[in-house]
Amino acid sequence: MNRKQQGFARNSLLVSGALALTLAATLGVQAQGQTAAASTAAAKKWVDKEFQPSTLSKAQQMKEMEWFIKAAKPYKGMTITVASEALTTHKYESEVMAKAFTEITGIKVKHDIIQEGDVIEKLQTQFQSGKTIYDAYVNDSDLIGTHFRNDFVLPLSDYMAGAGKGVTSPTLDLKDFIGLSFTTGPDKKLYQLPDQQFANLYWFRADWFARPDLKAKFKAKYGYELGVPVNWSAYEDIANFFTNDVKTIDGKKVYGHMDYGKKDPSLGWRFTDAWLSMAGNGDKGLPNGLPVDEWGVRVQDCHPVGSSVTRGGDTNGPAAVYALTKYVEWLKKYAPPEAGGMTFSESGPVPAQGEIAQQIFWYTAFTADMVKKGLPVVNADGTPKWRMAPSPHGSYWREGTKLGYQDVGSWTFLKSTDAKHTAAAWLYAQFVTAKTTSLKKSIVGLTFIRESDINSKYFTDNASKYGGLIEFYRSPARVAWSPTGTNIPDYPKMAQLWWQAIAPAAAGEVTPQQAMDGLAKEQDKIMSRLERAGMKRCAPIMNPEKTAQYWFDQPGAPYPKLANEKEKGETVAYDTLLKNWKAGKVK
């Protein structure tokens, strides 16, 4: 081949190569266009067929989904792993929303449903090892005091303003979330994003309470109206009335109280979930008492200083002992005989069987299971025979004190997870809490996180189906229900102490005072160890012990024993309660 021919051949190869590159680029653009079109089509399908109703218009939903499609491009093909506990809301996320997210963004999701204790165990293991087990967790905000005191959890406020700014949705609208005060540390940083939340409320058979014969009989004996109990004295009177005076309704034995008492970790939840605050333990303050919280732990300038009364705490104070005393007494006197041998999960379905008149402590997450047609507690038209209302308070309770517990499962990210997996998982967390999807998720699980969902037309139109749940969440009263707060420096270790201390008292092996003395001492031991070991910030600095009387003489909790712990019973008509809520009153 001569030089001219060689030159022609070389030019031909260059032209062919250029054409090939042009063709490849064209095909690549077309492929990307097809992928983008497929993502948009997937988003439209899910918006049309699954994520209705919504507080957004379909056009607004699609605009929000287009942002997710664009933001997810760098992470397409990745697989992220997340874990949450076994609730209806999380099952919906795992089985439906994860699939939608994958089809729309191209990011694959392995959303594991595990037990609550396992979630905490995996978190702890990841804390200690620094090795990623899951890219993100839906972890109870009860751990907020643990999270902000250590250096394991990624503060979301820092992330959204810094490395995660490009993957933070412009329509996230944090102001619309109702639970951010529960996931914010004393340093004012947001550590977790609420994914679901539910309260523990009073539950009662409204149909029985409305019966003229029972109302007359109750008033004749107790001197006041049968209604929603405002205080524990009224609750106790009503419990005694149904168990020992009414005894049977429609030929069936009935009980005025329901609870559980088996020695089991779930017995601890019964108490750490604000039982003491309902009695009046701790100081005033929302979302949690300060300086003494509902666990009886005192803090000073964010440093825990003691749990025992002799250190200024209230875990073994008169209010706490009163709380445990009433728990044991009511369980034995007014609940079904088998209740003492039940766990949390075993006792949960009992009120739906139609033999329980009232329950002081009932999780609203079970609402969906309590409104199923055919149940003895549901009318033929599908409306409930029961209602829920604020739980009554004990004789030590003071206005302005926390009144109950609210579970807030929240997205939690660890610093040990690599940047790409954190970004992709953060997109998923925002997707399952986005306005496009959140109203439908709220309808499925009834665990509200957004003000806009609570006030939506759907829940206005369907409020009668939920026995007071919507009215409660729309009321100003809801702020008095909160999770465990920031005073608790190591929730996993300290929470484990409670069921072990309470169980012997439930079994009658020790007195309530002995049980709470032991619990307070063990909590102090853990905090003393944390003081010696040190923490990243706000570590315990334990108070020296003084006499109990010294602390009783100081302002606030712990309060001395009341001369009369059985105050006069007080009730309110349920209709009056609803009217007050609508008028913006707490009660």
Side-chain angles (χ1 to χ4, degrees), residues 232 257 259-262 267 270-271 275 321-332 339-340 502-503 505-506:
W232 280 17
H257 176 62
D259 214 321
Y260 62 96
K262 187 174 181 179
L267 186 59
R270 184 70 178 77
F271 285 81
W275 180 249
V321 174
Y322 160 78
L324 181 53
T325 300
K326 287 301 175 185
Y327 159 76
V328 174
E329 182 182 329
W330 294 346
L331 181 65
K332 291 179 178 177
I502 299 301

Side-chain angles (χ1 to χ4, degrees), residues 301-343:
D301 298 327
C302 85
H303 297 276
V305 296
S307 177
S308 299
V309 169
T310 51
R311 296 183 191 272
D314 204 9
T315 305
N316 60 334
V321 174
Y322 160 78
L324 181 53
T325 300
K326 287 301 175 185
Y327 159 76
V328 174
E329 182 182 329
W330 294 346
L331 181 65
K332 291 179 178 177
K333 284 186 175 181
Y334 309 124
E338 59 273 18
M342 288 183 169
T343 64

Side-chain angles (χ1 to χ4, degrees), residues 87 198 344-345 348-349 362-371 386 445-446:
L87 290 176
F198 54 91
F344 171 80
S345 58
W362 180 80
Y363 289 99
T364 62
F366 301 141
T367 304
D369 293 327
M370 195 71 86
V371 293
W386 53 267
L446 300 176

